[in-house]
Amino acid sequence: MHGVHYVLHAPQGDTYADLLFTMIERRGQRPPVTYTTFQARDLGGDTAELVKRHVQEAADRFQPDALLVGESCTAELIQDQPGALAQGMGLPMPVVTLELPAYSKKENWGASETFYQLMRGLLKQSVPPQPTHDVQAWKHEGRRPRVNLLGPSLLGFRCRDDVLEVQRLLSLHGIDVGVVAPLGAGVEDILRLPQADLNVCLYPEVAESSCSWLHRNFGIPFSKTVPIGMGATHDFLVEVHALLGMAPPEAAEGYQRSRMPWYSESVDSTYLTGKRVFIFGDGTHAIAAARICSEELGFTVVGLGSYSREMARPVRAAAKKLGLEALICDDYLAVEAAMAEAAPELVLGTQMERHSAKRLGIPCAVISTPMHVQDVPARLSPQMGWEGANVIFDAWVHPLMMGLEEHLIGMFRHDFEFVDGHQSHLGHAGGAGADNNHGTESVRASGCQDEAPSGQLVWTADGEAELKKIPFFVRGKVRRNAESYARTVGCKEISSETLYDAKAHFKA
Amino acid sequence: MSANLLKESGPREVFCGLTSIVWLHRRMPDAFFLVVGSRTCAHLIQSAAGVMIFAEPRFGTAILSERDLAGLADAHDELDRVARELLMRRPEIRTLFLVGSCPSEVIKLDLARAAERLNEELQGRVRVVNYSGSGIETTFTQGEDGALAALVPLLPASESRQLLLVGTLADAVEDRLIHLFSKLGIESVRSLPPRQSSELPPVGSGTTVLLTQPFLTETARLLRDRGATVLKAPFPLGAEGSRRWMEAAAANFQCPEASVRAVLDPLEARARIALAPHREVLAGKRIFLLPESQLELPLARFLHRECGMDLVEVGVPYLNREQMAEELALLPDGTTVVEGQHVERQLDRVRAGHPDLVVCGMGLANPLEAEGITTKWSIELVFSPIHGIDQAGDLAELFSRPLHRRQLIHSALHPQASDHPVHA
């Protein structure tokens, strides 16, 4: 946002957060944040006086239109009540106090709560006694319908380009964008929020509580479909049109405006069918990815999870539709164990899943925050809308082995250059999956998964040899299937014959 | 010493000591750094180092929860459990550093006792030590001081004659310095930290210590307590500083002066050749250093004396006057040295002073670039091989590179108004 300054009561060192904006988002301005940066020697003195001095200095120097005041995790322990102190200083601008419990809540909650408190603080005087919103107002006033885009922020996943893409998408349907917030908005924009006919909730993790407050108090409805993927973008357009009282859009629009459907239908993509994929991320992106994978790319989703507890219910519902149990957790070791157990051929996750995927030797693409600097690219790269689907097709298929190479490695395993696990289109010698088995074994040895280890089962030499002939990216799954088959039929040894039996049994 | 020493207080823009983990984990790959702190601490480390993809994590955070704060869970039992699980997952870890943070220090969680308890339980299989990297007590590189100081009591005792290089060095630099010292006739040279945390160098009254880094106040004190002699010398940055640094050791080991000159003279002559092209870019340019690592004084000394730069202001987060005496003596008269920081006022002085180059942290670098001020982000200096006479050219290059780059691309990117600042 602009014109909003934040005074954060925090110890020296917490200014590292500036780097998220100046380096990862590569911004050319300092974040509008004043840190009190107290040190150990200040704890003996008057830290409350320190807060007041910094609030005054920030107000004088930056003269913001509104001031946010909050605490970091350490300041929360010493309880100086910086918000109350600032409220009592008689500053000329609105002061919003933030209560963000650092030991029980996390980043997205903080963003959502801050946006909500700021908006509520600025708008509560203008709340009408009765919500008087009329979705048809644009018709009577003879103008194009106008929507707010709520949720996009810095350090969100591809928000910059998602906003552009959604704006373009809506404008093609004769819909104007009023306010985009919080990204790029100022206090005057927040005050204009009630003038829209509809709120578009692009990132529920950040904007759902604000959208629902605007709905309760001003009667403005909000859209609930997040337009990531072909089907979701279509559903989003249908929802927005219905909420605005407009005739539904063409069903074939996506096919005309995006290359993704044809790329996915073309024969080059046939080998993508049934590729096993493991999905983890924030709720919004994980749910969107699951739908794209299963309905639009023809993958088999073998694992779906999220770290967003507030999105647990919809993620569970999406998983259930795919016959899966959703993994709701923020423990990366548990995610890694689930990933190893599912033995996928592709992982769609966050920056953290890249670590686990590297360890397990599985191709991986990033679909959600947390992210690092490479996911704030210079090029246009939305996830939403028709162009977003194009970007997604390229990004998710890229880490997989190309079709011809996959066939040839399945046929001839004695090459000196194109060895097992090698992916020559990624341009390096050692294959990403070269240590596939090694990685899986070491997870197993450390006891992170596999309730009943394969202790009693013995692989015969010829069984192992046969297993080696399986292309590397499905080998993990075949090994598991063979072991589970052997256990089912009660055989203690796994030979090449057992492997074929298991294959016939599981049709895989 | 005639530098103009000032102090300033106010908002600071520096890293906390936890950041030391980012390079220490590579120096000692068999060690694990477990921060006991909050989600903020975890986020800091992950943001700093998470751009690399780790198949095996080398650091982690035991995140304090509400239960720990409310005393509902015995924080010590919880910590023991986390450490035990970690060591089960990573049996190859030899040294576990329990790293204190602001939250753990504020609530006075006794990590020293926790380390003791875990040591008893693990019976030598893994060594557990603790130090504080909290922002309220430590700034950036002071974290390394804490980590090394925590290792000092574990160093085996030995009275034998040896030279101990203290402070993290790049592997190649370490090898090179050991080779050069052996040419001077100093055969036994060890390093702290070692490359493997389990191969700690001995210490005792025969030990002569050369500090390679200026931020090792506490480590130096503890080494002195164990009988070692800590030499006074400028720090080994640049040809001059490195030479004086090596000569200090040579004098202590009574190496014949003629053979010292025979070894060092050709190195210095070669360094001058390597420095020449960078001196051409840097000479007469005005430089402003913001406080970050305590490397600022030796860098300013090098940039002024060997590269011909003018010093506008030299900021340091902390000034150990005794340890810095040799450096201060080499600075030009009247150099403004500011200990501490009020970042807003310091930025006012930066803008008013129109320096040609500003050495600053990454939180300020891009915003200053966007104002048209060329910067050198300072963190790189602790991640680069910059020590020794042979590295003088490379060290100068770190400072000439941003100026060279601006000259190279600026007119192409702004063909109409080449003096227009780059806006991001």
Side-chain angles (χ1 to χ4, degrees), chain A residues 201-277:
Chain A
C201 182
L202 286 183
Y203 303 93
E205 272 93 344
V206 174
E208 194 167 8
S209 54
S210 297
C211 286
S212 99
W213 186 82
L214 287 166
H215 186 211
R216 283 199 310 277
N217 290 280
F218 290 89
I220 308 171
F222 66 98
S223 66
K224 296 181 180 67
T225 315
V226 179
I228 303 177
M230 298 299 299
T233 299
H234 175 72
D235 292 353
F236 166 78
L237 285 174
V238 170
E239 184 186 15
V240 166
H241 279 73
L243 288 171
L244 288 168
M246 300 165 79
E250 262 324 291
E253 178 182 335
Y255 205 93
Q256 291 151 4
R257 295 201 182 274
S258 178
R259 275 169 228 102
M260 193 271 205
W262 167 242
Y263 270 47
S264 189
E265 281 169 30
S266 68
V267 293
D268 209 30
S269 297
T270 311
Y271 86 112
L272 300 177
T273 315
K275 285 257 185 230
R276 304 164 49 79
V277 53

Side-chain angles (χ1 to χ4, degrees), chain A residues 366-393:
Chain A
V366 175
I367 60 160
S368 155
T369 53
M371 63 177 177
H372 229 297
V373 62
Q374 61 271 52
D375 279 302
V376 188
R379 66 176 185 278
L380 185 74
S381 43
Q383 301 288 289
M384 293 184 179
W386 309 134
E387 181 60 22
N390 293 340
V391 170
I392 284 172
F393 182 89

